[in-house]
Amino acid sequence: MWILAIIITILYSFIMILVPRRPRFYPPGPRSLPIVGNLISVWFGLMKLKDHYRLWRSWTQIYGDVVGLQLGFINVVVVSGKDFIKEVSSREVFDGRPNGFFYMMRSFGKKIGLVFADGQAWSSTRRVILKYLKSFGYGSRSMETYISEECTALVNHLRGSCQPVGVNEMFDVSVINILWRLVAGKRYDLKDVRAKQLCTLIKRCFKVVDMSGGILNFMPFLRYIIPGPIGYTEMMEIHDILYKFIRETIKEHEANIDVQNPRDVIDAFIIESIENKTDAFSDEELQVVCLDLLEAGMETVSNTAVFMLLHVALNSSVQARLRHEIDEVVGGRAPVLADRARMVYTEAVLLETLRISSVAPVGIPHMARDDARLGDYIVPKGTFLLLAMYDLHNGDHWKDPHVFRPERFLTKEGNLVQHEWLMPFGTGRRRCIGEVLARSELFLFLTYLLQNFHLLLPEEDPKPSTEPVNGVSLSAAPFRLTFKQRR
Ligand code: HEM
């Protein structure tokens, strides 16, 4: 009997160590059960509402802009509203990234790279990679040339097709090409099988879980019991293939590097690592940085571009006005980024797309690096913070949030409005590093395509839905368009 008592005491103490600390002023939220916390409510909630962002919204409506949850052994706070989202994004104490298993299993079990690292290591990697990206063309004419070349290739590719085209994968290889030319000095043909396979893998891995990391994060020991159903097996398989591709690319660079003439980000990193033998320039760090750029930079832009075409095709008056502006400002020559200054309507369409599609529905989770006050509440050290970006962009504040209306970003005089409720790339210290690239890509994709084609919904297809499909980033449900060449 006493042996049983000892075992129960040990088990209880072990569980108590794992169960997160919840101070008296922890934010309010649904009632939690011992050990599993709110996981069961999340499970039932998802069965009813389907998508995570809808579930977080339903709880925000009950508990307010700061909702406190306990998911398995982890405290999670969902933060909504412009002011709280800005506060979390701007305070250093909240600029950590989660220690969760899901986030680290893709980076050799370590907190390295750009997206899920934090502290000193993250800030120096972010600085160095931004410096390299800029020196190989990021934000300059070279980047514009890469984007224009991809737009031309895409237009030529579509010219040959009189049949309706599936749009959901249309931008994938072009987007990878632009990024990969900066990072690895390489581009692929739009029909290249391996490039297409890589894009499919990245997209698949973004559908296995949502940004909270799911059960894999909150009860990681389950990977030993049910690795398949909780997504562990698939995530590992996908990352094995992605890392194989990245390692091959790095090896090719090492084989013919000229230390006096770096060609791209990978070369610059390898050259620095020859002199600087610290962890900051390790081989693993370079691999994770490459993976971060591929994963953060591909699906987000590709999915936003797809939503953009969907809304333009569904709204014929928007399409006509866009075409009119393109004809007036650009005419028959190739569009350039400098045209943006005179193309306010096109810019408004981009802003409205970024708002309504909000492909990063909870951004990338932050983590409290210490106990911190947020509004009337205390957020304990180690808490994950999910920022309800989808709601910020689709909430009642916008009056008619579900209507695609670019005019909301224009003043009566026809000038562009910088709306403080719109932050698709986040804000503060962890703001997206790909914003300049993403905005430039979206502008040139749209202008090149509408300069050359009428976008038509095939009559034989059902009207496509604008409801997003859930995942780490939101995507449009499959649909097709006919690209009818303009005279
Ligand atoms: C429409 C396209 C994109 C959207 C909507 C988007 C959105 C975001 C958001 C919301 C964050 C998180 C900000 C935060 O933690 O508070 C982020 C971070 C990040 N994005 Fe993007 N992004 C896009 C394109 C890109 C591209 C093209 C790249 C590649 C160059 C990129 C690379 C990154 C990286 C590396 C981070 C992590 C930054 C850090 O933690 O320091 N993103 N992005």
Coordinates of all heavy atoms in Angstrom, one line a residue, residues 413-485:
E413 N -10.3 62.5 -51.7 CA -9.5 63.2 -52.7 C -8.7 62.1 -53.5 O -7.9 62.5 -54.4 CB -8.5 64.1 -52.1 CG -9.1 65.3 -51.3 CD -9.7 64.9 -50.0 OE1 -9.1 64.0 -49.3 OE2 -10.8 65.4 -49.7
G414 N -8.8 60.9 -53.2 CA -8.1 59.8 -53.9 C -6.7 59.5 -53.5 O -5.9 58.9 -54.2
N415 N -6.4 59.9 -52.2 CA -5.1 59.6 -51.7 C -5.2 58.3 -50.9 O -6.2 57.9 -50.4 CB -4.5 60.7 -50.8 CG -4.3 62.0 -51.6 OD1 -3.9 61.9 -52.7 ND2 -4.7 63.1 -51.0
L416 N -4.0 57.7 -50.7 CA -4.0 56.4 -50.0 C -4.0 56.6 -48.4 O -3.4 57.5 -47.9 CB -2.7 55.7 -50.3 CG -2.7 54.2 -50.3 CD1 -3.7 53.7 -51.3 CD2 -1.3 53.7 -50.7
V417 N -4.8 55.8 -47.7 CA -4.9 55.9 -46.3 C -4.0 54.9 -45.6 O -4.1 53.7 -46.0 CB -6.4 55.7 -45.8 CG1 -6.5 55.7 -44.3 CG2 -7.3 56.6 -46.5
Q418 N -3.1 55.3 -44.7 CA -2.3 54.3 -44.0 C -3.2 54.0 -42.7 O -3.2 54.7 -41.8 CB -1.0 54.9 -43.6 CG 0.0 55.1 -44.7 CD 0.3 53.8 -45.6 OE1 0.2 52.7 -45.0 NE2 0.6 54.0 -46.8
H419 N -3.8 52.8 -42.7 CA -4.7 52.5 -41.6 C -4.0 51.8 -40.5 O -3.3 50.9 -40.7 CB -5.8 51.5 -42.2 CG -7.1 51.7 -41.7 ND1 -7.4 51.6 -40.4 CD2 -8.2 52.1 -42.4 CE1 -8.7 51.8 -40.3 NE2 -9.2 52.1 -41.4
E420 N -4.2 52.4 -39.3 CA -3.4 51.8 -38.1 C -4.0 50.5 -37.7 O -3.4 49.8 -36.8 CB -3.3 52.8 -37.0 CG -4.6 53.3 -36.5 CD -4.4 54.1 -35.2 OE1 -3.3 54.2 -34.7 OE2 -5.4 54.7 -34.7
W421 N -5.2 50.1 -38.2 CA -5.7 48.8 -37.8 C -5.2 47.7 -38.8 O -5.5 46.5 -38.6 CB -7.2 48.8 -37.9 CG -7.8 49.4 -36.7 CD1 -7.8 50.7 -36.4 CD2 -8.5 48.7 -35.6 NE1 -8.5 50.9 -35.2 CE2 -8.9 49.7 -34.7 CE3 -8.8 47.4 -35.3 CZ2 -9.6 49.4 -33.5 CZ3 -9.5 47.1 -34.1 CH2 -9.9 48.1 -33.3
L422 N -4.4 48.1 -39.7 CA -3.9 47.1 -40.7 C -2.4 46.8 -40.4 O -1.6 47.7 -40.6 CB -4.0 47.6 -42.1 CG -3.6 46.6 -43.2 CD1 -4.6 45.5 -43.4 CD2 -3.4 47.3 -44.6
M423 N -2.1 45.6 -40.0 CA -0.7 45.2 -39.8 C -0.4 43.8 -40.2 O -0.1 42.9 -39.4 CB -0.2 45.4 -38.3 CG -1.2 45.9 -37.3 SD -0.6 45.9 -35.6 CE -1.9 46.9 -34.9
P424 N -0.6 43.6 -41.5 CA -0.4 42.2 -42.0 C 1.0 41.6 -41.8 O 1.2 40.4 -41.8 CB -0.7 42.3 -43.5 CG -0.5 43.7 -43.8 CD -0.8 44.5 -42.6
F425 N 2.0 42.5 -41.7 CA 3.4 42.0 -41.5 C 3.8 42.1 -40.1 O 5.0 42.0 -39.8 CB 4.3 42.8 -42.4 CG 4.0 42.6 -43.9 CD1 3.2 43.5 -44.5 CD2 4.4 41.5 -44.6 CE1 2.8 43.4 -45.9 CE2 4.1 41.4 -45.9 CZ 3.3 42.3 -46.6
G426 N 2.9 42.3 -39.1 CA 3.2 42.5 -37.7 C 3.8 43.9 -37.6 O 3.8 44.7 -38.5
T427 N 4.3 44.1 -36.4 CA 4.9 45.4 -36.1 C 5.9 45.2 -35.0 O 6.0 44.2 -34.4 CB 3.8 46.5 -35.7 OG1 4.4 47.7 -35.4 CG2 2.9 46.0 -34.5
G428 N 6.7 46.2 -34.7 CA 7.7 46.1 -33.6 C 9.0 45.3 -34.0 O 9.2 45.1 -35.2
R429 N 9.7 44.9 -33.0 CA 11.0 44.3 -33.3 C 11.0 43.0 -34.1 O 11.9 42.6 -34.8 CB 11.7 43.9 -31.9 CG 12.2 45.2 -31.2 CD 12.3 45.0 -29.7 NE 13.1 43.8 -29.4 CZ 14.5 43.8 -29.3 NH1 15.1 44.9 -29.5 NH2 15.1 42.7 -28.9
R430 N 9.9 42.2 -34.1 CA 9.8 41.0 -34.8 C 9.1 41.1 -36.1 O 8.7 40.1 -36.7 CB 9.2 39.9 -33.9 CG 9.9 39.7 -32.6 CD 10.3 38.3 -32.3 NE 11.0 37.5 -33.2 CZ 11.9 36.5 -32.9 NH1 12.1 36.3 -31.6 NH2 12.5 35.8 -33.8
R431 N 8.9 42.3 -36.5 CA 8.1 42.6 -37.8 C 8.8 41.8 -38.9 O 10.0 41.5 -38.9 CB 8.3 44.1 -38.1 CG 7.4 44.6 -39.2 CD 7.7 46.0 -39.5 NE 6.8 46.5 -40.6 CZ 5.9 47.3 -40.4 NH1 5.7 47.9 -39.3 NH2 5.1 47.7 -41.5
C432 N 7.9 41.4 -39.9 CA 8.4 40.5 -41.0 C 9.5 41.1 -41.7 O 9.5 42.3 -42.1 CB 7.2 40.4 -41.9 SG 7.6 39.5 -43.4
I433 N 10.6 40.3 -42.0 CA 11.7 40.9 -42.8 C 11.5 40.8 -44.3 O 12.2 41.4 -45.0 CB 13.1 40.2 -42.4 CG1 13.1 38.8 -42.9 CG2 13.4 40.3 -41.0 CD1 14.5 38.2 -42.9
G434 N 10.4 40.2 -44.7 CA 10.1 40.0 -46.1 C 9.1 41.0 -46.7 O 8.7 40.9 -47.8
E435 N 8.7 42.0 -45.8 CA 7.6 42.9 -46.2 C 7.9 43.6 -47.6 O 7.0 43.6 -48.5 CB 7.4 43.9 -45.1 CG 6.3 44.9 -45.5 CD 5.9 45.8 -44.3 OE1 6.4 45.6 -43.2 OE2 5.2 46.8 -44.6
V436 N 9.1 44.1 -47.7 CA 9.4 44.9 -48.9 C 9.3 44.0 -50.2 O 8.7 44.3 -51.2 CB 10.9 45.5 -48.8 CG1 11.3 46.1 -50.1 CG2 10.9 46.5 -47.7
L437 N 9.8 42.8 -50.0 CA 9.8 41.8 -51.1 C 8.4 41.4 -51.4 O 7.9 41.5 -52.6 CB 10.6 40.6 -50.7 CG 10.6 39.4 -51.7 CD1 11.1 39.8 -53.1 CD2 11.4 38.2 -51.2
A438 N 7.6 41.1 -50.4 CA 6.2 40.6 -50.6 C 5.4 41.7 -51.3 O 4.7 41.4 -52.2 CB 5.6 40.3 -49.2
R439 N 5.5 43.0 -50.8 CA 4.7 44.0 -51.4 C 5.0 44.3 -52.8 O 4.2 44.5 -53.7 CB 4.9 45.3 -50.6 CG 4.1 45.4 -49.3 CD 4.3 46.7 -48.6 NE 3.8 46.8 -47.3 CZ 2.6 47.2 -46.9 NH1 1.7 47.5 -47.9 NH2 2.2 47.2 -45.7
S440 N 6.4 44.2 -53.1 CA 6.8 44.4 -54.5 C 6.3 43.3 -55.4 O 5.9 43.5 -56.5 CB 8.3 44.5 -54.6 OG 8.8 45.3 -53.6
E441 N 6.4 42.1 -54.9 CA 5.9 40.9 -55.7 C 4.4 41.0 -56.0 O 4.0 40.9 -57.2 CB 6.2 39.6 -55.0 CG 7.6 39.2 -54.9 CD 7.9 38.0 -54.0 OE1 7.3 37.9 -52.9 OE2 8.7 37.1 -54.4
L442 N 3.7 41.3 -55.0 CA 2.2 41.4 -55.2 C 1.9 42.5 -56.2 O 1.0 42.3 -57.1 CB 1.5 41.7 -53.9 CG 1.6 40.5 -52.9 CD1 1.1 40.9 -51.5 CD2 0.8 39.3 -53.4
F443 N 2.5 43.7 -56.1 CA 2.3 44.8 -57.1 C 2.6 44.3 -58.5 O 1.8 44.5 -59.4 CB 3.1 46.0 -56.6 CG 2.9 47.1 -57.6 CD1 1.8 48.0 -57.6 CD2 3.9 47.4 -58.6 CE1 1.6 49.0 -58.5 CE2 3.7 48.4 -59.5 CZ 2.6 49.2 -59.5
L444 N 3.8 43.8 -58.7 CA 4.2 43.4 -60.1 C 3.4 42.3 -60.6 O 3.0 42.2 -61.8 CB 5.7 43.2 -60.2 CG 6.5 44.5 -60.0 CD1 8.0 44.2 -60.0 CD2 6.2 45.5 -61.1
F445 N 3.1 41.3 -59.8 CA 2.2 40.1 -60.3 C 0.9 40.7 -60.8 O 0.5 40.4 -61.9 CB 1.9 39.2 -59.1 CG 3.0 38.2 -58.8 CD1 3.2 37.8 -57.4 CD2 3.9 37.8 -59.7 CE1 4.2 36.9 -57.1 CE2 5.0 36.9 -59.4 CZ 5.1 36.5 -58.1
L446 N 0.3 41.6 -60.0 CA -1.0 42.1 -60.4 C -1.0 42.9 -61.6 O -1.8 42.7 -62.5 CB -1.6 42.9 -59.2 CG -3.0 43.4 -59.4 CD1 -4.0 42.2 -59.5 CD2 -3.5 44.2 -58.2
T447 N 0.0 43.8 -61.7 CA 0.0 44.7 -62.9 C 0.4 44.0 -64.1 O -0.2 44.2 -65.2 CB 1.0 45.9 -62.6 OG1 2.2 45.4 -62.0 CG2 0.4 47.0 -61.7
Y448 N 1.4 43.1 -64.1 CA 1.7 42.3 -65.3 C 0.5 41.5 -65.7 O 0.2 41.4 -66.9 CB 2.9 41.4 -65.0 CG 4.2 41.9 -65.3 CD1 4.9 42.7 -64.4 CD2 4.9 41.6 -66.5 CE1 6.2 43.2 -64.7 CE2 6.1 42.1 -66.8 CZ 6.8 42.9 -65.9 OH 8.0 43.4 -66.2
L449 N -0.2 40.8 -64.8 CA -1.3 39.9 -65.2 C -2.4 40.7 -65.8 O -3.0 40.4 -66.9 CB -1.7 39.1 -64.1 CG -0.8 38.0 -63.7 CD1 -1.2 37.2 -62.4 CD2 -0.6 37.0 -64.8
L450 N -2.8 41.8 -65.2 CA -4.0 42.6 -65.7 C -3.6 43.4 -67.0 O -4.5 43.7 -67.7 CB -4.5 43.5 -64.6 CG -5.3 42.7 -63.6 CD1 -6.1 43.6 -62.7 CD2 -6.3 41.7 -64.2
Q451 N -2.3 43.7 -67.1 CA -1.9 44.4 -68.3 C -2.1 43.4 -69.5 O -2.4 43.8 -70.6 CB -0.5 44.8 -68.2 CG 0.0 45.6 -69.4 CD 1.5 45.8 -69.3 OE1 2.3 44.9 -69.0 NE2 2.0 47.0 -69.6
N452 N -2.0 42.1 -69.3 CA -2.0 41.1 -70.4 C -3.3 40.3 -70.5 O -3.5 39.8 -71.6 CB -0.8 40.2 -70.2 CG 0.5 40.8 -70.6 OD1 0.8 40.9 -71.7 ND2 1.2 41.3 -69.6
F453 N -4.0 40.2 -69.4 CA -5.2 39.3 -69.5 C -6.4 39.9 -68.8 O -6.4 40.7 -67.9 CB -4.9 38.0 -68.7 CG -3.6 37.3 -69.2 CD1 -2.5 37.3 -68.5 CD2 -3.7 36.5 -70.4 CE1 -1.3 36.7 -68.9 CE2 -2.5 35.9 -70.8 CZ -1.3 35.9 -70.1
H454 N -7.6 39.4 -69.3 CA -8.8 39.5 -68.6 C -8.9 38.3 -67.7 O -8.7 37.2 -68.2 CB -10.0 39.5 -69.5 CG -10.1 40.7 -70.4 ND1 -10.6 41.9 -70.0 CD2 -9.7 40.9 -71.7 CE1 -10.6 42.8 -71.0 NE2 -10.0 42.2 -72.0
L455 N -9.3 38.5 -66.4 CA -9.4 37.3 -65.5 C -10.9 36.9 -65.5 O -11.7 37.7 -65.1 CB -9.0 37.6 -64.1 CG -7.6 38.3 -63.9 CD1 -7.3 38.3 -62.4 CD2 -6.5 37.5 -64.6
L456 N -11.2 35.7 -66.0 CA -12.6 35.3 -66.1 C -12.8 34.0 -65.3 O -12.0 33.1 -65.3 CB -13.0 35.0 -67.5 CG -12.7 36.2 -68.5 CD1 -13.0 35.7 -70.0 CD2 -13.6 37.3 -68.2
L457 N -14.0 33.9 -64.6 CA -14.3 32.7 -63.9 C -15.0 31.8 -64.9 O -16.0 32.2 -65.6 CB -15.3 33.0 -62.8 CG -14.8 33.9 -61.6 CD1 -15.9 34.5 -60.8 CD2 -13.8 33.1 -60.8
P458 N -14.5 30.6 -65.1 CA -15.1 29.7 -66.1 C -16.6 29.4 -65.7 O -16.9 29.2 -64.6 CB -14.3 28.3 -65.9 CG -13.1 28.7 -65.1 CD -13.4 29.9 -64.3
E459 N -17.4 29.5 -66.8 CA -18.9 29.4 -66.6 C -19.2 28.0 -66.0 O -20.2 27.9 -65.3 CB -19.6 29.7 -67.9 CG -19.9 31.1 -68.1 CD -20.4 31.4 -69.4 OE1 -21.0 30.5 -70.1 OE2 -20.3 32.6 -69.9
E460 N -18.5 27.0 -66.4 CA -18.8 25.6 -66.0 C -18.5 25.3 -64.6 O -18.9 24.3 -64.0 CB -18.2 24.6 -67.0 CG -16.6 24.6 -67.0 CD -16.0 25.5 -67.9 OE1 -16.6 26.6 -68.2 OE2 -14.9 25.3 -68.4
D461 N -17.7 26.2 -63.9 CA -17.3 26.0 -62.5 C -18.2 26.7 -61.6 O -18.8 27.7 -61.9 CB -15.9 26.5 -62.3 CG -14.8 25.7 -63.0 OD1 -15.2 24.7 -63.6 OD2 -13.6 26.1 -62.8
P462 N -18.4 26.1 -60.3 CA -19.2 26.8 -59.3 C -18.5 28.1 -58.9 O -17.3 28.2 -59.0 CB -19.3 25.8 -58.2 CG -18.2 24.8 -58.4 CD -17.9 24.8 -59.9
K463 N -19.3 29.0 -58.4 CA -18.6 30.3 -57.9 C -17.7 30.0 -56.8 O -18.0 29.3 -55.8 CB -19.7 31.2 -57.4 CG -19.2 32.6 -57.1 CD -20.4 33.5 -56.7 CE -19.8 34.8 -56.1 NZ -20.7 35.6 -55.4
P464 N -16.4 30.4 -56.9 CA -15.4 30.0 -55.9 C -15.7 30.7 -54.5 O -16.2 31.9 -54.5 CB -14.1 30.4 -56.4 CG -14.4 31.3 -57.6 CD -15.8 31.1 -58.0
S465 N -15.4 30.0 -53.5 CA -15.6 30.6 -52.1 C -14.4 31.5 -51.7 O -13.3 31.1 -52.0 CB -15.8 29.5 -51.1 OG -15.6 29.9 -49.8
T466 N -14.7 32.5 -51.0 CA -13.6 33.3 -50.4 C -13.3 32.9 -49.0 O -12.4 33.5 -48.4 CB -14.0 34.8 -50.5 OG1 -15.2 35.0 -49.8 CG2 -14.1 35.4 -51.9
E467 N -14.0 32.0 -48.5 CA -13.7 31.5 -47.1 C -12.3 30.8 -47.0 O -12.1 29.9 -47.8 CB -14.8 30.4 -46.7 CG -16.0 30.9 -46.1 CD -15.8 31.7 -44.8 OE1 -15.4 31.1 -43.8 OE2 -16.1 32.9 -44.8
P468 N -11.5 31.3 -46.1 CA -10.1 30.7 -46.1 C -10.1 29.3 -45.6 O -10.9 28.9 -44.8 CB -9.4 31.6 -45.2 CG -10.4 32.3 -44.4 CD -11.7 32.3 -45.1
V469 N -9.1 28.5 -46.1 CA -8.9 27.1 -45.6 C -7.8 27.3 -44.5 O -6.8 27.9 -44.6 CB -8.4 26.2 -46.7 CG1 -8.1 24.8 -46.2 CG2 -9.4 26.2 -47.8
N470 N -8.1 26.6 -43.3 CA -7.2 26.8 -42.1 C -5.8 26.2 -42.3 O -5.6 25.3 -43.2 CB -7.9 26.0 -41.0 CG -7.4 26.5 -39.6 OD1 -6.7 27.5 -39.5 ND2 -7.6 25.7 -38.6
G471 N -4.9 26.6 -41.5 CA -3.5 26.0 -41.5 C -2.6 27.1 -40.9 O -3.0 28.0 -40.3
V472 N -1.2 26.8 -40.9 CA -0.3 27.8 -40.3 C -0.5 29.1 -41.1 O -0.5 30.2 -40.5 CB 1.1 27.3 -40.5 CG1 2.1 28.4 -40.3 CG2 1.4 26.1 -39.6
S473 N -0.7 29.0 -42.4 CA -1.2 30.2 -43.1 C -2.4 29.9 -43.9 O -2.6 28.7 -44.3 CB -0.1 30.8 -44.0 OG 0.0 30.1 -45.2
L474 N -3.3 30.8 -44.0 CA -4.6 30.6 -44.6 C -4.5 30.5 -46.1 O -3.7 31.3 -46.7 CB -5.6 31.6 -44.2 CG -5.9 31.8 -42.7 CD1 -6.9 32.9 -42.4 CD2 -6.4 30.5 -42.1
S475 N -5.3 29.7 -46.8 CA -5.2 29.6 -48.2 C -6.6 29.7 -48.8 O -7.6 29.4 -48.1 CB -4.5 28.3 -48.7 OG -5.1 27.2 -48.0
A476 N -6.7 29.9 -50.1 CA -8.0 29.9 -50.7 C -8.4 28.4 -51.1 O -7.4 27.7 -51.4 CB -8.0 30.8 -52.0
A477 N -9.6 28.1 -51.1 CA -10.1 26.8 -51.6 C -9.8 26.7 -53.1 O -9.8 27.8 -53.8 CB -11.5 26.6 -51.4
P478 N -9.5 25.5 -53.7 CA -9.1 25.4 -55.1 C -10.1 26.1 -56.0 O -11.3 25.9 -55.8 CB -9.0 23.9 -55.4 CG -8.7 23.4 -54.0 CD -9.4 24.2 -53.0
F479 N -9.7 26.8 -57.0 CA -10.5 27.4 -58.0 C -9.7 27.6 -59.3 O -8.5 27.5 -59.3 CB -11.2 28.7 -57.6 CG -10.2 29.8 -57.5 CD1 -10.1 30.8 -58.5 CD2 -9.4 30.0 -56.4 CE1 -9.2 31.9 -58.4 CE2 -8.5 31.0 -56.3 CZ -8.4 32.0 -57.3
R480 N -10.5 27.8 -60.4 CA -9.8 28.0 -61.7 C -10.1 29.4 -62.3 O -11.2 29.9 -62.0 CB -10.2 26.9 -62.7 CG -9.9 25.5 -62.2 CD -10.1 24.5 -63.3 NE -11.4 24.6 -63.9 CZ -11.7 24.0 -65.1 NH1 -10.8 23.3 -65.7 NH2 -13.0 24.1 -65.6
L481 N -9.3 29.9 -63.2 CA -9.5 31.1 -63.9 C -9.2 30.9 -65.4 O -8.2 30.2 -65.7 CB -8.7 32.3 -63.4 CG -9.1 32.9 -62.0 CD1 -8.1 34.0 -61.7 CD2 -10.5 33.4 -62.0
T482 N -9.9 31.6 -66.2 CA -9.4 31.7 -67.6 C -8.7 33.0 -67.8 O -9.2 34.0 -67.4 CB -10.6 31.6 -68.6 OG1 -11.4 30.5 -68.2 CG2 -10.2 31.6 -70.0
F483 N -7.5 32.9 -68.4 CA -6.7 34.1 -68.6 C -6.8 34.5 -70.1 O -6.1 33.9 -71.0 CB -5.2 33.8 -68.3 CG -5.0 33.7 -66.8 CD1 -5.2 32.5 -66.1 CD2 -4.6 34.8 -66.0 CE1 -5.0 32.3 -64.8 CE2 -4.5 34.7 -64.6 CZ -4.7 33.4 -64.0
K484 N -7.8 35.3 -70.4 CA -8.1 35.7 -71.8 C -7.2 36.8 -72.2 O -7.2 37.9 -71.5 CB -9.6 36.1 -71.9 CG -10.0 36.3 -73.3 CD -11.5 36.6 -73.3 CE -11.8 37.2 -74.7 NZ -12.8 38.2 -74.6
Q485 N -6.5 36.6 -73.2 CA -5.5 37.6 -73.6 C -6.1 38.9 -74.1 O -7.1 38.9 -74.8 CB -4.6 37.0 -74.7 CG -3.3 37.8 -74.8 CD -2.2 37.0 -75.5 OE1 -2.2 35.8 -75.5 NE2 -1.3 37.7 -76.1

